[in-house]
Amino acid sequence: MGMSDPRIFYADLVAASDAYRVLCVQNYAASGTLFVQSLLDFHPQTLSLPGLALRDFPEQWARIGQMPPAEQLPQFASVLDPLFVPDHWQWVDWGTDKLGPSRDRGCHVDRAAFYAHFAALIACGGGDTRRRFLCSVYVAFALTLGRSVPPRATLVFPIHGGPLFRAQTIETDFPDALYLHMVRHPISAAVSVARHARATFGAEPFPAVERGLVQVLSDRAWSSDEPGYGDRAYLPEIGARAKAFRLEALHARPRETLAAICAFAGLDWDDALLRSTVNGLQWWNRAESPRVSGFDPALPARGVAERTHAIERLAIRLAALPKLAAWRYSDAAPFARWPEWLIRLVFLAAALVPFRAEFARPDDAEAPPGRAWWRRYRGIRRALWRGYSDARAAAPITVSSGEER
């Protein structure tokens, strides 16, 4: 383990961390949360970790935090280990393994330097509480990068669809926490989730499509059916401390949208917001997405026309109407005067039409319409019909007037 820096007053940093605020970045399926985190990455008033690192800290603390302080650091070493591994699978998944102008830099940091700073913070009381422990990780990481630590920092925490327990923990430790919800048009979000699922789990199209529909319409995890809380606030008492911003607006009007995010988060404007970075190094999006660094108004809807047809887009649109209206998407307006019975009737008819991906031959069947094809057809219909009901069962978080242009 390296030596701590005698020029740094670690006790003062620990005391200052008691005034830190947390900005929880919350995703709705595939809605650009990693992108918005990259824009907040090197803002002089924020502290960040790369990608989704330590998003499960509340769950890890529940397991480790009850141990004696002397045992906590060794146990957390495995949790923190990805921060020091150049080719860790998480960096590949999050697109943080190929950073910089030449895409040849990683987001890992020096293990010995980090633990030298971290141990010094812990020795000054940085591990006395769960809140201080989390702040100490962020501060040690910033010091390892050579960053100055602001006296009233905002931690950018990737809550990222975590369970309710994660938000409850944040609320206990940071009662003034803010929740920045990134949302995206459900059609393009579903296409993006399916694309990511194919890239991650294989080329067979049907489970990927069903996965996308479950996430965007019901906002539930595919594997566990747990709610994701991306389209609604975690808790009613959060109230105005949660606000939604549209990915499309961020790409089309970056300065205006980022100024609104700053106003919400209590951050001053800084031109670093216009640079997409991780650890200060240029970020190029996830591997299965277009490798674009920065803003591109066409990016959020890219691939939708090629991967879907008009009738399936209509089915998704009608199922997701409450979200479209709350998020002020213009294609919700034509249906504003339709009675619900008519919307349901048209939806049911459109939902019966096979999606474009369903015309492709599934990997585990000889040819459509084999049993596997029908099984996947029914799965997609179930996701659509359940999503129609789920989208009307909970009031979605709203996008403020003025964000809809």
Side-chain angles (χ1 to χ4, degrees):
M1 181 177 291
M3 298 292 292
S4 60
D5 191 331
R7 298 168 297 178
I8 298 175
F9 296 95
Y10 292 98
D12 292 345
L13 291 175
V14 171
S17 71
D18 291 339
Y20 287 0
R21 195 172 199 177
V22 164
L23 178 65
C24 297
V25 181
Q26 169 66 333
N27 73 312
Y28 164 70
S31 58
T33 46
L34 287 173
F35 178 50
V36 78
Q37 285 177 220
S38 78
L39 301 175
L40 295 166
D41 170 58
F42 247 45
H43 188 287
Q45 294 171 281
T46 68
L47 296 178
S48 297
L49 297 175
L52 305 180
L54 229 64
R55 62 177 169 177
D56 60 351
F57 172 78
E59 296 95 303
Q60 296 291 353
W61 182 270
R63 179 174 62 89
I64 299 172
Q66 306 306 315
M67 299 177 179
E71 298 179 20
Q72 290 176 1
L73 185 57
Q75 288 293 323
F76 261 105
S78 62
V79 178
L80 299 174
D81 193 61
L83 297 176
F84 321 114
V85 178
D87 56 352
H88 195 275
W89 68 267
Q90 289 179 336
W91 306 146
V92 178
D93 188 43
W94 303 334
T96 54
D97 61 323
K98 298 184 183 300
L99 303 172
S102 302
R103 305 185 198 176
D104 58 355
R105 300 284 299 278
C107 67
H108 61 289
V109 296
D110 182 77
R111 185 190 303 267
F114 173 87
Y115 276 117
H117 293 304
F118 190 59
L121 292 165
I122 296 297
C124 294
D128 289 353
T129 65
R130 180 175 57 196
R131 173 191 172 115
R132 280 191 166 186
F133 195 99
L134 179 62
C135 291
S136 295
V137 174
Y138 275 77
V139 171
F141 192 83
L143 294 174
T144 306
L145 291 175
R147 291 191 64 186
S148 59
V149 179
R152 292 183 62 85
T154 294
L155 305 185
V156 180
F157 181 76
I159 197 166
H160 200 78
L164 182 60
F165 172 78
R166 196 174 294 177
Q168 291 170 329
T169 302
I170 293 293
E171 285 291 292
T172 299
D173 293 348
F174 300 89
D176 59 349
L178 300 172
Y179 298 79
L180 191 166
H181 288 243
M182 290 302 298
V183 298
R184 182 180 186 179
H185 196 291
I187 295 174
S188 54
V191 169
S192 184
V193 170
R195 181 172 59 235
H196 178 63
R198 292 188 191 104
T200 305
F201 304 108
E204 206 281 322
F206 300 104
V209 173
E210 190 175 339
R211 180 190 298 263
L213 293 174
V214 169
Q215 289 193 27
V216 303
L217 297 179
S218 297
D219 194 17
R220 292 185 173 273
W222 168 262
S223 56
S224 65
D225 203 42
E226 291 294 321
Y229 298 99
D231 61 354
R232 56 197 181 277
Y234 272 100
L235 297 160
E237 56 265 32
I238 292 173
R241 291 187 286 115
K243 188 172 182 180
F245 295 86
R246 291 174 21 174
L247 178 63
E248 292 86 354
L250 182 59
H251 276 284
R253 301 179 304 282
R255 186 176 288 270
E256 177 185 351
T257 306
L258 285 165
I261 289 175
C262 283
F264 168 66
L267 301 173
D268 298 330
W269 176 262
D270 191 276
D271 285 344
L273 291 160
L274 298 173
R275 296 189 292 272
S276 178
T277 64
V278 174
N279 294 2
L281 300 169
Q282 192 173 7
W283 182 65
W284 294 89
N285 210 341
R286 300 174 74 144
E288 81 281 355
S289 301
R291 302 316 290 261
V292 174
S293 179
F295 307 97
D296 179 0
L299 186 63
R302 188 166 294 172
V304 170
E306 295 81 6
R307 292 180 169 88
T308 64
H309 58 64
I311 298 178
E312 69 181 272
R313 293 195 294 271
L314 175 63
I316 298 172
R317 184 178 296 114
L318 293 176
L321 267 181
K323 304 182 201 296
L324 294 174
W327 301 340
R328 298 177 180 270
Y329 282 103
S330 59
D331 57 349
F335 304 100
R337 296 182 182 275
W338 284 31
E340 186 61 32
W341 67 264
L342 181 57
I343 291 172
R344 179 183 289 268
L345 183 63
V346 175
F347 163 74
L348 290 173
L352 292 174
V353 178
F355 282 14
R356 174 168 288 179
E358 292 178 83
F359 291 106
R361 177 182 179 273
D363 287 351
D364 58 349
E366 292 80 10
R371 285 181 296 178
W373 190 91
W374 284 111
R375 183 170 65 249
R376 272 33 179 273
Y377 177 86
R378 291 194 300 269
I380 290 174
R381 264 70 257 164
R382 282 195 300 266
L384 281 170
W385 296 331
R386 179 186 180 184
Y388 183 98
S389 299
D390 288 347
R392 285 152 177 80
I397 192 169
T398 59
V399 170
S400 301
S401 179
E403 296 288 331
E404 71 274 15
R405 296 191 302 277

